[in-house]
């Protein structure tokens, strides 16, 4: 395993020290592994909190700041944070208007956030509402499984709902908006290589030179099937088609198209992929109104990419365009 | 079958159990991680090792426990507070529910122990909604509970009953191999989850095995 | 070779199509492989042009936009663009106030930009001044060699001088500022893995699992020496010490510290490295005023990082903080 | 030594040379890239192949050339316009300077050819400032020019002189192996550049070898 780390055990706390050193706008509670805005949440603003296993940077800590999250909890690599962290983050960020928990749909994340909400109800008067993202069409959704994974749409949701929160909308509205964004977003990912979890010290799975893993998540979980390595154009089709098959994006609604890098794939390849995705979308009658290309929700050093489409409307686009100042996304301010 | 005085399981016995499980989690860290790499995210070994190391440290830091419940609660809270992932709330709830069922005494009898473990199993189900055959830790824990209870009901002593429970947990663990996962990360794989042993069921088998070797004082 | 590309031959033009599709603020001349601002250079503003081999994205095309470059030329992967491209870019971007060519110090880049300037002088009335960046302390500088390579400081220079150009400063001033920034910046890089040039199809060099290559540039050139893989703390020292030995950054001047990812290294590791870099700088009495952490000048899919320090002053910091709106760097607007 | 009419080298001969060099660059693309991978950036093969493919295409696209100069200028401009990197301006200038030295005629004699190549070498030096022993294409090109001139001066015919030049280029190429690079990318490696053959010197040896096999019509 070759990584720029000190020890597998210290990678999360070391990275948090780096984030604190690099971003004076942010405060870091190194004991509880919480990143929060240096400026307290303004009175009357609902606080947005997210969190999850580490290894997906810039998600979530890199999305703390004006226009997105108020605080983020960092778990161990690929391991959901513990309820105590989320409870602390909830207390730190609450400014009296309640707290929205943004939870990616993984058994661990959901259960830990659930326990945090139970604790918050028991120990504090803070009103907490949780919304769960589950946009990954690679996973068959059913009542009998853990359901779909939350992946790329989480980034878009944190941006859109974060902007709405800055407008002092009430908790219930924000939760509704968040559910809408999640409902209207779909994703699909592909891995060219495995990632290597620092504590494991070797790649999570072996992938021959001529094969790719289709339908991966963001934790090095194997995907749904292996297919031969193909040209970007074909891979784009393998990613976009299941997304379009799952939700109709062709109704003329403005769409936000997001090509995400999984950590080990450089930008030049993401642009090659974006070109193919844009071509397919244009041919399918999908109207792309905004785009985002880059590594925003990663899976350690995995080479690969994911495609997320979000069916927006004027209001969501307005919120997307609204000012944001975080380490990961920054514009308009 | 040997005839002995009704065994009591005291705080010291539970303490031995916790430490033995922590050692087992540490020893089998790589196995658990490898199993999780195949159908999950390669962290179950690290999770259980981190959690049980923290649990032992917390037990050490406490100035002794005057009840079994206090010890188990300490372990449960530490797991909830240090593991994260799916196993943190699940193992944490397991110990917390055992604590809640343990009353205030410093020692329990064999039937109490079966009741505790069954309460813990209930907590796992409440938290995770697992059903039999979902390919989770439930599939090792539930047979272990059933075997423990049945064995005691049939008049076997605690040592025998725990040995039966450990065998049942092992069998339950092995039975997860052909299952199609319906819960947890492995469910994302659909058909591809078949043929792999569930990591959580594997760590549960270690937990029950540790109980069998520590909760009953060696004869002699 | 596993890459999200169509063919090795088409990777640059495909990526340019992707950039054009993703960034409506930018125009792309696909024939000449030039990225330029969709809005013409305002009259009286000096145009900033850069360019180089592809494979370093977001550099340079991703730095075209308000507050940075006016146009960028994309060469083949790791191969300087040709003079004709630079000449076209010069013509497209010139608004009567002259054009600054920002050239990284590589024999090919320097010669091609030189020929472009000769052509511009012969064919157009456009005033062209070239500045060359050469900040890489891994390379021994001497009259008898090609000199130091231009690496990380190029990013900082494009930002700072780009901001100054928006203020309508004259060409000579901007050139002087550019030379100052280059003179006050130093960099050093390390590779954990080789990169793979698409046309070559296999890694440029082999690096055993337990070794790293110290002093690499951004083209997969081997570095100056191999050392055993070490902890981030030690690697940070190996990068920062030669930089500090080469230029005194401890005089109390505000310093911009830039930890750059080489393409295959995820953000979590860059933050781990940044923490160690910041720690060494603090211990050495270097006053870090601003920081930048991320993959901004990459070497395809190479795992590794580089550290750049720029000795700034209030004026350079003000220009650093000035609004910028490009795909790669964006703030304040 | 054979006694023949003074050879003239016409546009058709130069055309053969260009095509032969293009074929050689294509055939040895991987070799050139591998040499460049060792001490550079692994693109010299792609660069030369792309450039010479474009040059041949440009020559094909032109409706014939009425002078050697026009053909060489077409090749030089195409190389400048399609290669980039160090080799684009260097090879481009080589051909452009040859063109400038070629006058307006449709055929040259042997001495003209030596003069052309020497002018080209001068262009390479003006552009790249290479000195002998810097481990660059100069170290193959300069000995080839010298051998060509010396061989003709000593009365050998063009075929013999070009053969001598090709051998000199090969020897110059081989001599780059032990050199410490002072120019180009390889200079970044310092001592580590020693022991590797320079890619540009290698492509120059191909260029001169192509001249030897094409510029003189086969006897018979
Ligand atoms: N809903 C559930 N109910 C019971 N056990 C579960 C459930 N989901 C997952 N598990 C257990 O958790 C184990 C995985 O734990 P771990 O790897 O530590 O957490 P994570 O899946 O969050 O990475 C699985 O092997 C399975 O036995
Ligand atoms: N200053 C120079 N003078 C002469 N030849 C040079 C000079 N610099 C580099 N070269 C030649 O160019 C070759 C490399 O060409 P190429 O790989 O195509 O370009 P780049 O180095 O830009 O990638 C070297 O092997 C060397 O022979
Ligand atoms: Mg996990
Ligand atoms: Mg796991
Ligand atoms: Mg090159
Ligand atoms: Mg080269």
């Amino acid at each position: 395993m070759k990584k720029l780390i000190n020890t597998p055990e210290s990678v999360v706390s070391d990275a948090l020290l780096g984030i604190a050193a690099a971003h004076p706008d942010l405060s870091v509670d190194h004991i509880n592994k919480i990143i929060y805005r240096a400026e307290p949440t303004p009175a009357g603003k609902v606080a947005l909190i997210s969190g999850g296993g580490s290894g997906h940077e810039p998600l979530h800590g890199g999305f703390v700041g004006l226009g997105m999250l108020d605080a983020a909890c960092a778990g161990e690599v690929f391991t959901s944070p513990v309820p105590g962290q989320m409870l602390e983050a909830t207390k730190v960020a609450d400014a009296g208007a309640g707290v929205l928990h943004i939870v990616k749909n993984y058994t661990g994340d959901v259960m830990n956030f659930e326990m945090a909400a139970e604790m918050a109800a028991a120990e504090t008067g803070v009103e907490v509402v949780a919304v769960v993202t589950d946009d990954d069409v690679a996973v068959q959704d059913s009542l009998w499984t853990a359901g779909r994974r939350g992946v790329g749409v989480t980034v878009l949701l944190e941006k859109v709902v974060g902007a709405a929160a800055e407008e002092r909308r009430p908790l219930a509205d924000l939760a509704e908006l968040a559910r809408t964004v999640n409902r209207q977003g779909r994703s699909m990912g592909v891995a060219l290589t495995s990632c290597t979890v620092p504590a494991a010290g070797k790649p999570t799975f072996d992938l021959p030179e001529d094969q790719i893993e289709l339908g991966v998540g963001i934790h090095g979980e194997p995907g749904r099937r292996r297919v031969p390595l193909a040209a970007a154009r074909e891979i784009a089709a393998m990613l976009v088609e299941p997304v379009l098959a799952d939700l109709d994006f062709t109704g003329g609604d403005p769409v936000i198209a997001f090509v995400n890098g999984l950590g080990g794939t450089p930008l030049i390849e993401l642009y090659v992929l974006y070109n193919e995705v844009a071509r397919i979308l244009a041919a399918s009658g999908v109207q792309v109104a905004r785009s985002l290309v880059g590594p925003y929700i990663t899976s350690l050093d995995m080479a690969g990419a994911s495609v997320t489409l979000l069916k927006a409307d004027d209001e969501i686009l307005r919120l997307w365009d609204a000012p944001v100042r975080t380490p990961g996304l920054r514009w308009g301010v | 079958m040997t005839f002995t005085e009704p065994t009591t399981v005291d705080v010291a016995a539970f303490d031995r159990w916790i430490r033995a499980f922590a050692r087992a989690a540490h020893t089998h860290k790589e196995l658990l991680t490898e199993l999780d790499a195949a159908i999950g995210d390669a962290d179950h070994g690290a999770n259980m090792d981190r959690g049980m190391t923290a649990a032992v440290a917390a037990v050490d830091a406490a100035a002794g426990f005057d009840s079994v419940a206090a010890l188990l609660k300490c372990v449960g809270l530490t797991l909830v507070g240090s593991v994260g992932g799916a196993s943190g709330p699940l193992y944490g709830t397991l110990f917390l529910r055992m604590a809640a069922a343990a009353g205030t005494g410093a020692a329990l009898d064999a039937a109490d122990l079966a009741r505790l473990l069954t309460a813990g199993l209930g907590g796992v189900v409440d938290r995770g909604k697992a059903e039999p055959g979902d390919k989770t830790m439930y599939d090792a824990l539930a047979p272990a509970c059933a075997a423990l209870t049945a064995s005691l009901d049939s008049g076997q002593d605690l040592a025998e009953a725990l040995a039966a429970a450990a065998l049942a947990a092992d069998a339950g663990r092995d039975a997860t191999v052909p299952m199609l996962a319906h819960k947890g990360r492995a469910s994302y794989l659909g058909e591809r989850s078949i043929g792999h042993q569930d990591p959580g069921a594997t760590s549960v088998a270690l937990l029950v095995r540790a109980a069998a070797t520590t909760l009953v004082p060696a004869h002699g």
Side-chain angles (χ1 to χ4, degrees), chain B residues 30-40 42 196-200 202-203:
Chain B
E30 296 210 346
L31 168 71
L32 297 176
T33 289
E34 263 169 42
L35 293 171
D36 199 28
I39 54 171
H196 297 277
Q197 180 172 311
D198 181 61
T202 308
S203 58

Side-chain angles (χ1 to χ4, degrees), chain A:
Chain A
M1 171 178 60
K2 282 184 146 177
K3 289 184 188 290
L4 287 169
I5 62 174
N6 288 313
T7 64
E9 293 71 35
S10 68
V11 57
V12 174
S13 39
D14 287 345
L16 287 175
L17 287 168
I19 289 174
H23 303 293
D25 284 6
L26 301 182
S27 295
V28 176
D29 171 346
H30 294 284
I31 306 292
N32 287 301
K33 301 200 167 113
I34 302 169
I35 299 171
Y36 57 102
R37 302 192 200 180
E39 290 209 355
T41 312
K45 178 186 172 304
V46 171
L48 263 59
I49 291 183
S50 192
S54 293
H56 309 306
E57 293 67 25
L59 185 98
H60 296 275
F63 296 139
V64 174
L66 181 85
M68 285 185 86
L69 301 178
D70 293 274
C73 313
E76 292 298 315
V77 170
F78 291 174
T79 302
S80 154
V82 301
Q85 293 175 267
M86 297 149 177
L87 178 63
E88 269 318 305
T90 302
K91 289 185 197 163
V92 163
D94 177 55
V99 177
L100 186 70
H101 284 183
I102 299 170
V103 187
K104 302 192 297 303
N105 189 38
Y106 300 95
T107 306
D109 294 63
V110 170
M111 290 192 306
N112 282 283
F113 267 104
E114 248 171 41
M115 292 184 89
E118 289 163 19
M119 290 173 176
E123 293 181 30
T124 72
V126 181
E127 193 186 354
V128 171
V129 176
V131 288
V132 176
T133 61
D134 61 346
D135 52 310
D136 189 348
V137 300
V139 172
Q140 237 130 44
D141 199 10
S142 110
L143 271 183
W144 311 107
T145 68
R148 289 176 159 172
R149 294 178 289 229
V151 285
V153 91
T154 317
V155 176
L156 309 182
L157 185 154
E158 291 178 1
K159 169 69 188 81
V160 167
V161 182
E166 299 293 345
E167 298 177 348
R168 303 292 186 275
R169 297 210 213 156
L171 180 55
D173 281 21
L174 296 177
E176 191 44 44
L177 175 63
R179 286 189 201 100
T180 302
V181 169
N182 178 60
R183 202 166 41 235
Q184 298 186 175
R186 295 291 187 280
S187 300
M188 177 83 179
V190 65
L192 273 57
T193 68
S194 175
C195 53
T196 297
V197 175
K202 56 184 188 207
T204 304
F205 55 84
D206 287 318
L207 203 49
E209 253 309 288
D210 58 348
Q211 303 226 316
I212 58 178
E213 183 87 30
L214 203 63
V216 290
I218 52 171
H219 301 89
E221 318 92 315
R224 292 206 53 106
R225 64 195 170 100
R226 289 190 176 180
V227 300
L229 178 61
R233 180 161 304 184
E234 292 159 51
I235 293 176
M238 293 185 239
L239 296 178
V240 174
E241 275 162 18
V243 165
L244 296 184
D246 203 83
L247 186 67
D248 183 11
F249 286 88
T250 64
D253 304 290
V255 165
I256 301 180
F258 170 26
V259 165
N260 173 60
L262 288 177
T265 287
L267 201 51
I268 187 170
E269 295 179 41
L270 297 180
Y271 277 120
V272 169
L273 183 65
Y274 183 75
N275 177 47
E276 301 302 340
V277 168
R279 191 193 301 258
I280 297 170
L281 294 178
S284 311
V286 177
Q287 272 163 31
V288 177
R290 298 291 185 280
S291 67
L292 184 68
V293 180
Y296 293 102
I297 171 170
T298 59
S299 184
L300 291 172
D301 54 346
M302 175 176 275
S306 62
V307 172
T308 299
L309 299 185
L310 171 61
K311 202 192 312 195
D313 54 26
D314 289 347
E315 172 68 353
I316 289 177
L317 288 186
R318 190 182 63 75
L319 293 167
W320 176 255
D321 292 338
V324 59
R325 190 177 60 223
T326 71
L329 283 184
R330 196 165 161 179
W331 60 67
V333 63

Side-chain angles (χ1 to χ4, degrees), chain B residues 193-211:
Chain B
S193 65
I194 292 172
H196 297 277
Q197 180 172 311
D198 181 61
T202 308
S203 58
V204 160
L206 296 175
L207 176 74
V208 182
R209 172 77 47 203

Side-chain angles (χ1 to χ4, degrees), chain B residues 52-125:
Chain B
M52 289 310 298
T53 302
V56 168
V59 167
D60 283 341
F65 295 95
D66 54 14
S67 70
V68 168
L71 170 65
L72 291 173
K73 187 174 176 189
C74 171
V75 171
L77 286 177
T78 306
L79 289 175
V80 169
S82 66
V83 176
S87 45
L90 290 167
Y91 268 97
T93 303
L94 172 66
F95 279 96
L96 289 174
R97 287 290 181 90
M98 288 203 292
T104 54
L108 306 172
D109 66 17
D112 286 335
L113 186 69
R115 203 169 38 71
L116 251 64
L117 210 63
T118 305
L121 174 66
V124 168
V125 172

